[in-house]
Amino acid sequence: MTTKKISIDIPREVLHAAKMSTKELKQELAISLYEKGKLSFGKAREIVEMKVGAFQQLLGSRDIPVNYDVESYEEDLETLEERG
């Protein structure tokens, strides 16, 4: 499976006004989509490029329950296999 990336244009002024870095914005997007059930744990973790434990801690620091189910586990296995 080939991974394609997309770019989203966000004016620097928006990041400045929000007092966020690009990395922080990606974290907020991933957390929000995960919390709303739009992304699995594995896919949200891919956005922020964090290891499982680090992403679990990030969610825990926001009092967001981790729902690491079989689907998420299988997605993580698939990602690991793709990366060798």
Side-chain angles (χ1 to χ4, degrees), residues 2-67:
T2 304
T3 302
K4 291 186 178 185
K5 293 191 176 201
I6 63 162
S7 297
I8 300 172
D9 293 326
I10 298 173
R12 288 186 196 277
E13 295 80 21
V14 171
L15 288 176
H16 181 70
K19 297 179 182 163
M20 298 176 82
S21 67
T22 303
K23 180 180 176 179
E24 291 169 323
L25 183 64
K26 285 171 65 173
Q27 279 187 356
E28 292 303 316
L29 174 64
I31 290 168
S32 177
L33 292 173
Y34 173 77
E35 190 172 26
K36 292 178 180 181
K38 301 285 185 180
L39 282 182
S40 67
F41 179 90
K43 292 298 181 189
R45 191 180 59 77
E46 279 183 50
I47 290 175
V48 294
E49 300 173 349
M50 296 176 86
K51 293 186 178 194
V52 172
F55 191 58
Q56 286 175 329
Q57 287 180 342
L58 177 62
L59 293 173
S61 72
R62 305 275 185 97
D63 294 324
I64 299 170
V66 176
N67 299 314

